[in-house]
Each structure stands twice: as C-alpha cells, then as structure tokens.
Amino acid sequence: MKILKYLFLLLLLLSIGGIVFISTQKSNFFAVKSIIIKTQKPAVYNYINENTNYKDWFVFNKNNSLIDFKYSINSIGVGSYYSWSGSDGEGKTTIYFTKENDSIVQKTNLDGALSETIWELKDTVGGTKVTCIIKGEMSFSNKLQTFLNGGATKVVERNLEQSLKNLDRSLDYQLNTYSVLSNGVVYKKGCYYLKQTINTKLSKLNYNIKILIPRLIKFSTQNKIVISGKPFVIYNSIDESNKVSNISVCLPIKSRIFTSSVSDIICNELESYKSFKTTLNGDYSHRKLAWKKAKDFMNNNKETIDQSMPIIEIYNKSSLDGLSPSKWQTSIYLAVQSKSNSNAEATTTNNDNLETTELVEK
C-alpha cells in the first residue's frame, strides 16, 4: 500500500514538474515559408483574401472537415474574419490590412493567444512567389501539444509548409475546374429589387461586388425587407478601352419599397424580357469566355442581341453560400430582340417556371 502511495506521489510530482517545465518554455514563435505558385498574382491575392477558402487548404488540424467554420457577412478585405472550433481549440482570424495584389496582414486569436500572419506576393518567372510570415505566442494547451511534437516553431513551420502546398493544389483545381453551358432562349421573369450603382475598374469588379452584396443584405435585414431570390448584377455599361464599368449590384425583394432620397440604395423594377441564358459553373475569371460563348451561340442561331438591355448575372451559388470557386454557379442573360415569328417564342415558354424560380423564389 505504501508503495502505491509513493508511486502516486512520484507521478504527481512528475506531473507538476512537467507542467512547470512546459509553462516556463518560450511561448513566442516565428516562422517563414515560401512557395512559387503557377498562378497569376491577382488570382492568388483574391483567393487568399477570401476567408471562405481557408477551410480548403490551410492546416488547422489533421482533419479540417471536423472543424466548424463561421464567417463575417462580408468575407473579404479589411475587417472581415473567419472563426473556427475543433479538437485543437477555438480561434478567430481577422484581416486588418491589405494592399491589392501585394500583401495581406491578419491577426489571429487562438484560445487567447495572439499571433500575426503576413502574406507577401511577388511576380516571378513561372507565376507568383508567395511568402508567409507567422509570429506570435501560444497558450499553455498549444505549448503542451507542440512540446510533444518538436516545439512551437517546428510545428508551425510544418503546418505552414503543408498549407502552402495545399494552397498551390487548391488554386490550380478551384480556378481551372469550370464549365460553360448554353441554355437557349428563355423568358426572364421580372421582379422588384434593391440596387446600389457604382463605377468600377474591371480589375476590382469581383471585389466591389462582394463588398456591396452584404451591404444590401444588411440593409434589407435592418429594414425588415423580404429578400426573394439570389443577388445579381446589372452591367449598365462596359468600357473595355479604359477597363471600367458602371454596374448596379442588386438584391431581389418581394414588393416595392421607397427609400430616402439621400440613400444610395434605391428600389427599382426589372420587367420580364426575352433573353439568352448561359450558365457558368466555376470561378468568375471565366466570365469573358461565358459571355463570348453566349454571343457566338446567338450569332450562330441568328438571334439578335437587344443592345438597349444590359447584361445580367445572377449568383445562384457563390461564396455567400460558403462554397469554393469550383462550385460557384452564375447565370448570365443577354437580351434578345423579339421576332415576329410566334413559333420561335412558343418554344421558350416551357422555361418560364425555371426562370421564375431562379430569380424570384428564395
């Protein structure tokens, strides 16, 4: 009995000693890793700047699928964040600085321990050099875990190196997995919608769209306005020579409302019209190809584009749904001039329900 008591006391002393030893170890760490990715810098920047993508490539633990992720309403740019919880703890990463196509700085709180992550992008032969710098401190639970696996810096370096390799593979797959489908001539059902109109550089088109859609959703929520479908964009004009566009970012709503005369968000009505529908499955970088295929298909089928009507894109599946780029789905509509031939119009009426569901139903 005395032997068991002594063994118990010995184990207790060893445990206390181990805890004291680990707690006195340095909690600070610093890691730097780089990789050359065969993807252009703007695409890499946009991918890293989108918080919903991190679950697909950044190493949080051995199995990211077991982690619960949450995101800010606006998932890109300064102030946006993603948070997670899993077997390795709870954390939150917030973007607090960005320089377009150059660098992104994040702050992370992991179980109360703070760290900073810096992403630097440089053009290089064959693609983009991505350098990631992580520095900060660890909580006791993290120190215990990393102590058993070689030390804080080594663990962070291993995870970071694997994350960069995953980033390369994920970018290649997510950006290059796409398809463009021609759906033919349909009747686009109308709706009431909220809109905010801006002029934007074509290079910042996707960025501005992702900023404005959450604003419209927030405006609708605050004013108890019923949203009746997926967000969409109206291209009022496109100046290819100066690489700028005037767009209206829109959110369909159930009924007409009236906003303040000083508000930059207004309510409008989209009337039903005959159009040619094209579906882009994949990243928005393939938008031009989808537009070209739509115009080529119309020309080959002797349909005439109604230039008085703008191009419309509806985001059926997007990052707002927590989906990766390869799973995005965008419907593109080009207005078609009506023909006097009633038979041509009759062939399109079967698509009416599809278009009503797509734009009007939530």
Side-chain angles (χ1 to χ4, degrees):
M1 192 70 178
K2 286 185 178 181
I3 294 175
L4 291 175
K5 185 184 294 184
Y6 289 142
L7 286 175
F8 175 76
L9 289 173
L10 180 61
L11 289 173
L12 181 61
L13 290 172
L14 288 174
S15 298
I16 294 173
I19 292 172
V20 172
F21 177 77
I22 293 172
S23 64
T24 57
Q25 298 300 299
K26 291 183 178 179
S27 60
N28 295 334
F29 63 88
F30 181 86
V32 181
K33 290 291 179 180
S34 297
I35 192 173
I36 294 177
I37 295 177
K38 295 179 180 179
T39 304
Q40 295 301 307
K41 191 165 62 171
V44 178
Y45 173 84
N46 290 334
Y47 195 71
I48 296 175
N49 195 33
E50 171 59 68
N51 289 303
T52 58
N53 291 330
Y54 280 78
K55 66 182 184 303
D56 295 325
W57 59 272
F58 196 82
V59 176
F60 294 91
N61 67 12
K62 293 180 180 179
N63 190 350
N64 283 1
S65 64
L66 299 178
I67 298 177
D68 180 35
F69 290 93
K70 295 181 180 179
Y71 309 96
S72 53
I73 295 177
N74 175 24
S75 60
I76 64 171
V78 176
S80 64
Y81 67 85
Y82 65 89
S83 60
W84 70 96
S85 59
S87 59
D88 287 351
E90 298 182 354
K92 180 179 179 181
T93 294
T94 304
I95 297 176
Y96 77 95
F97 174 82
T98 61
K99 184 177 180 182
E100 187 178 5
N101 299 332
D102 179 84
S103 56
I104 296 171
V105 183
Q106 303 164 318
K107 286 186 176 181
T108 297
N109 185 324
L110 178 59
D111 292 333
L114 304 178
S115 62
E116 182 180 74
T117 304
I118 303 170
W119 298 95
E120 296 178 344
L121 310 180
K122 301 291 182 184
D123 286 320
T124 189
V125 177
T128 305
K129 181 179 181 181
V130 180
T131 299
C132 184
I133 305 167
I134 300 182
K135 54 186 177 180
E137 59 182 17
M138 288 194 168
S139 64
F140 176 78
S141 60
N142 294 129
K143 280 201 293 184
L144 174 60
Q145 184 180 23
T146 55
F147 175 77
L148 299 174
N149 289 278
T153 298
K154 285 187 177 181
V155 170
V156 173
E157 285 180 342
R158 284 200 299 267
N159 289 346
L160 181 53
E161 184 174 20
Q162 186 59 52
S163 292
L164 290 175
K165 290 178 180 178
N166 293 345
L167 173 63
D168 188 17
R169 288 194 293 267
S170 186
L171 267 169
D172 181 63
Y173 177 81
Q174 294 296 339
L175 299 185
N176 294 313
T177 301
Y178 71 96
S179 64
V180 179
L181 305 174
S182 297
N183 304 108
V185 177
V186 300
Y187 280 101
K188 166 48 60 200
K189 199 74 179 261
C191 68
Y192 294 112
Y193 63 93
L194 297 175
K195 73 172 183 178
Q196 187 167 0
T197 302
I198 62 166
N199 292 312
T200 177
K201 294 180 180 179
L202 294 179
S203 62
K204 297 203 71 173
L205 179 65
N206 294 335
Y207 174 82
N208 286 323
I209 290 172
K210 287 184 177 181
I211 291 291
L212 292 183
I213 289 176
R215 289 184 185 176
L216 291 173
I217 294 174
K218 183 178 180 181
F219 178 87
S220 300
T221 302
Q222 290 177 336
N223 291 279
K224 298 181 180 179
I225 300 170
V226 179
I227 300 171
S228 59
K230 293 294 185 178
F232 61 96
V233 166
I234 297 175
Y235 290 83
N236 302 308
S237 65
I238 302 173
D239 186 345
E240 291 285 358
S241 59
N242 293 312
K243 296 183 178 180
V244 296
S245 178
N246 180 272
I247 63 171
S248 294
V249 180
C250 310
L251 194 64
I253 57 176
K254 190 173 183 179
S255 57
R256 180 187 290 278
I257 67 162
F258 296 93
T259 58
S260 168
S261 59
V262 296
S263 175
D264 57 355
I265 296 177
I266 64 174
C267 179
N268 211 335
E269 182 180 4
L270 176 69
E271 297 182 353
S272 301
Y273 66 96
K274 186 179 177 183
S275 63
F276 182 82
K277 177 184 176 183
T278 303
T279 300
L280 169 61
N281 295 302
D283 187 71
Y284 302 137
S285 59
H286 306 292
R287 177 187 284 117
K288 280 189 176 181
L289 176 63
W291 287 12
K292 182 179 184 303
K293 186 169 183 177
K295 291 175 181 178
D296 289 345
F297 192 94
M298 288 184 68
N299 290 333
N300 294 336
N301 288 273
K302 298 181 180 180
E303 297 285 357
T304 303
I305 299 175
D306 186 351
Q307 301 290 350
S308 66
M309 296 289 288
I311 296 174
I312 291 180
E313 288 182 348
I314 300 177
Y315 305 114
N316 304 314
K317 299 177 182 178
S318 67
S319 59
L320 291 172
D321 304 300
L323 298 175
S324 304
S326 63
K327 297 179 181 178
W328 294 349
Q329 184 185 83
T330 307
S331 295
I332 301 168
Y333 296 87
L334 274 67
V336 177
Q337 286 188 359
S338 297
K339 295 179 180 179
S340 57
N341 187 343
S342 59
N343 291 331
E345 294 190 2
T347 61
T348 67
T349 56
N350 290 333
N351 292 302
D352 199 355
N353 290 336
L354 172 64
E355 301 314 305
T356 302
T357 301
E358 184 177 75
L359 185 59
V360 178
E361 296 298 328
K362 192 170 182 180

